[in-house]
C-alpha cells in the first residue's frame, strides 16, 4: 500500500465488556489476519496516534477521559468504532449511565458492528481506516467503497452473524421486536402490510429473535461482514414487506397464517382452507355458526 504517513494505532476503551478488545488482540497479533501488511504500528501514547480504535458505549465515567484524550490527537487521523456498543450503544441504549454512541463526541470514519465482531471484520475496518487516513494525508477525497480482505474466508455455520428474514414465513406477530434487547427490529404498519426492519448496526447478535420466533422466519447467518462507512450507519438495514391479504368474506385486510405456522398446529392433518382466505373475525363467525346452527 502506498502510504503518505505511517499509520499508528491507539486503542481507547469507553466502558466495553472487553469482548471487542479481546477480538482486537487476536486481530493485531495473529498473523493470519494480515494486520501487519497494513503497516500499522501500535503506540502507547495517543499523542503519537493517527488511527483511533474505540470500543464501548461511552459510559458516564469514561466520557471525561475520552474527551481529554482525543483533544491531544493531531490531524490527520481516523476513528474506527469497533462493536455495536460504540456504533449505537446496543443493549445499553436506555441506560442512565450511557452517554454514547461514539459519533456524538468525535467524527467517526468507519464502524464495525458486532457483539463482538470477528477478527476478520476488525481487520477489514482497519484496512478501510488506513485507506481513509492516507487519503486525508494526501489531501484527497476519502474512498467511498469498502474493499473486503477476506473474500475467500467463510465463517463456521455455527457462527451467529447478520440476521436475515424469510418473509414467506413471517406473520408480523412482533415477537422478534418484543424480545430484541437492543431495539434492532421494528415492525410498522403500512397501507400495503407490515414493514419488517432489521437495523444491523444495533443488533447484538444474541439470537433472541430467532429463538423465540414461532415460525423460524428470522434467523442468523454466518455473514461477518459488518464494516460500514459512517455515512452508511443508518442505511445498513434489512427491510421486508409482509403484505396484507383481502378477506374473501368481509373484504378487510389481514395477515393470513403462513404455512410454517400452520404446520405446527396441523401436523398430519388436513389444513382448513379458511385459514388462508378469511380474517380472524370471519373465522370466529364461521366456527360459531358451524357449532350452534
Amino acid at each position: 500500500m502506498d502510504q503518505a504517513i505511517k499509520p499508528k494505532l491507539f486503542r481507547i476503551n469507553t466502558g466495553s465488556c472487553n469482548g471487542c478488545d479481546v477480538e482486537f488482540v487476536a486481530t493485531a497479533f495473529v498473523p493470519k489476519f494480515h494486520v501487519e501488511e497494513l503497516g500499522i504500528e501500535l503506540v502507547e501514547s495517543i499523542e503519537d496516534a493517527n488511527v483511533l480504535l474505540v470500543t464501548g458505549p461511552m459510559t458516564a465515567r469514561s466520557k471525561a477521559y475520552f474527551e481529554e484524550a482525543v483533544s491531544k490527537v493531531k490531524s490527520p487521523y481516523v476513528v474506527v468504532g469497533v462493536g455495536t456498543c460504540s456504533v449505537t450503544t446496543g443493549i445499553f441504549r436506555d441506560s442512565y449511565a450511557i452517554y454514547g454512541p461514539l459519533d456524538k463526541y468525535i467524527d467517526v470514519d468507519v464502524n464495525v458492528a458486532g457483539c463482538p465482531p470477528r477478527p476478520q471484520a476488525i481487520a477489514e475496518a482497519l484496512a478501510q481506516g488506513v485507506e481513509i487516513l492516507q487519503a486525508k494525508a494526501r489531501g484527497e477525497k476519502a474512498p467511498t467503497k469498502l474493499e473486503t480482505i477476506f473474500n475467500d474466508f467463510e465463517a463456521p455455520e455455527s457462527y451467529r452473524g447478520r440476521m436475515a428474514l424469510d418473509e414467506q414465513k413471517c406473520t408480523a406477530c412482533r415477537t422478534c421486536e418484543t424480545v430484541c434487547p437492543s431495539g434492532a427490529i421494528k415492525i410498522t404498519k403500512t397501507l400495503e402490510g407490515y414493514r419488517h426492519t432489521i437495523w444491523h448496526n444495533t443488533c447484538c447478535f444474541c439470537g433472541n429473535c430467532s429463538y423465540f420466533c414461532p415460525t423460524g422466519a428470522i434467523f442468523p447467518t454466518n455473514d461477518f461482514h459488518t464494516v460500514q462507512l459512517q455515512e452508511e450507519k443508518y442505511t445498513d438495514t434489512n427491510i421486508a414487506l409482509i403484505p396484507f391479504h383481502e378477506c374473501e368474506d368481509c373484504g378487510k385486510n389481514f395477515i393470513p397464517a403462513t404455512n410454517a405456522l400452520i404446520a405446527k398446529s396441523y401436523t398430519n392433518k388436513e389444513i382448513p382452507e379458511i385459514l388462508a382466505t378469511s380474517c380472524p373475525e370471519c373465522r370466529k363467525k364461521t366456527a360459531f355458526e358451524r357449532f350452534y346452527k
Side-chain angles (χ1 to χ4, degrees):
M1 178 184 294
D2 180 23
Q3 295 189 337
I5 57 174
K6 183 174 180 59
K8 297 182 179 181
L9 186 146
F10 185 84
R11 179 185 62 86
I12 303 178
N13 184 323
T14 64
S16 84
C17 69
N18 288 327
C20 293
D21 303 271
V22 169
E23 295 301 319
F24 168 67
V25 170
T27 306
F29 296 107
V30 177
K32 72 176 182 179
F33 299 126
H34 311 302
V35 173
E36 73 282 355
E37 295 180 9
L38 303 176
I40 294 176
E41 175 187 347
L42 302 183
V43 295
E44 297 181 1
S45 171
I46 195 170
E47 296 180 16
D48 299 325
N50 49 32
V51 178
L52 303 183
L53 184 146
V54 186
T55 63
M58 192 66 71
T59 62
R61 292 187 65 181
S62 66
K63 177 177 174 289
Y65 160 75
F66 176 81
E67 292 179 321
E68 179 184 0
V70 298
S71 68
K72 302 174 183 178
V73 183
K74 304 177 182 67
S75 295
Y77 65 89
V78 295
V79 179
V80 179
V82 175
T84 296
C85 285
S86 74
V87 183
T88 61
T89 70
I91 62 173
F92 303 109
R93 69 193 190 285
D94 294 325
S95 171
Y96 69 91
I98 299 302
Y99 286 15
L102 176 63
D103 57 9
K104 289 173 64 176
Y105 304 98
I106 194 170
D107 292 333
V108 177
D109 297 283
V110 183
N111 292 304
V112 51
C115 189
R118 285 189 70 89
Q120 291 90 346
I122 297 175
E124 289 182 344
L126 289 175
Q128 182 75 356
V130 170
E131 277 195 51
I132 295 173
L133 174 66
Q134 301 304 337
K136 287 182 177 181
R138 291 190 292 264
E140 300 172 356
K141 186 177 180 180
T144 57
K145 183 179 179 181
L146 173 65
E147 299 295 336
T148 57
I149 300 174
F150 298 95
N151 294 316
D152 299 329
F153 173 81
E154 186 171 330
E157 287 297 326
S158 59
Y159 175 68
R160 205 158 54 210
R162 294 165 69 93
M163 304 304 296
L165 181 78
D166 183 348
E167 55 263 39
Q168 299 300 319
K169 295 182 178 180
C170 182
T171 61
C173 69
R174 297 185 184 273
T175 297
C176 56
E177 180 184 42
T178 301
V179 301
C180 178
S182 57
I185 300 173
K186 187 72 174 177
I187 299 176
T188 52
K189 188 176 182 179
T190 69
L191 294 176
E192 296 80 21
Y194 286 92
R195 185 170 62 245
H196 187 291
T197 303
I198 305 172
W199 185 19
H200 295 294
N201 277 335
T202 200
C203 176
C204 65
F205 294 20
C206 69
N208 265 6
C209 55
S210 176
Y211 181 82
F212 288 104
C213 178
T215 64
I218 191 166
F219 56 93
T221 70
N222 65 342
D223 182 1
F224 65 90
H225 295 286
T226 57
V227 181
Q228 299 287 339
L229 297 173
Q230 173 64 13
E231 53 264 34
E232 299 171 310
K233 173 178 175 177
Y234 296 101
T235 61
D236 187 18
T237 56
N238 182 94
I239 301 176
L241 179 69
I242 316 304
F244 285 129
H245 290 243
E246 186 176 304
C247 176
E248 292 185 358
D249 297 313
C250 67
K252 292 182 179 179
N253 287 333
F254 77 108
I255 301 292
T258 64
N259 290 335
L261 183 61
I262 292 172
K264 291 181 176 293
S265 303
Y266 291 87
T267 306
N268 299 322
K269 295 180 181 179
E270 184 177 348
I271 300 173
E273 184 179 347
I274 194 173
L275 291 174
T277 60
S278 300
C279 69
E281 291 301 317
C282 288
R283 293 203 302 269
K284 291 178 185 178
K285 181 179 178 181
T286 300
F288 180 85
E289 293 173 347
R290 184 170 68 247
F291 284 109
Y292 295 101
K293 284 189 177 181

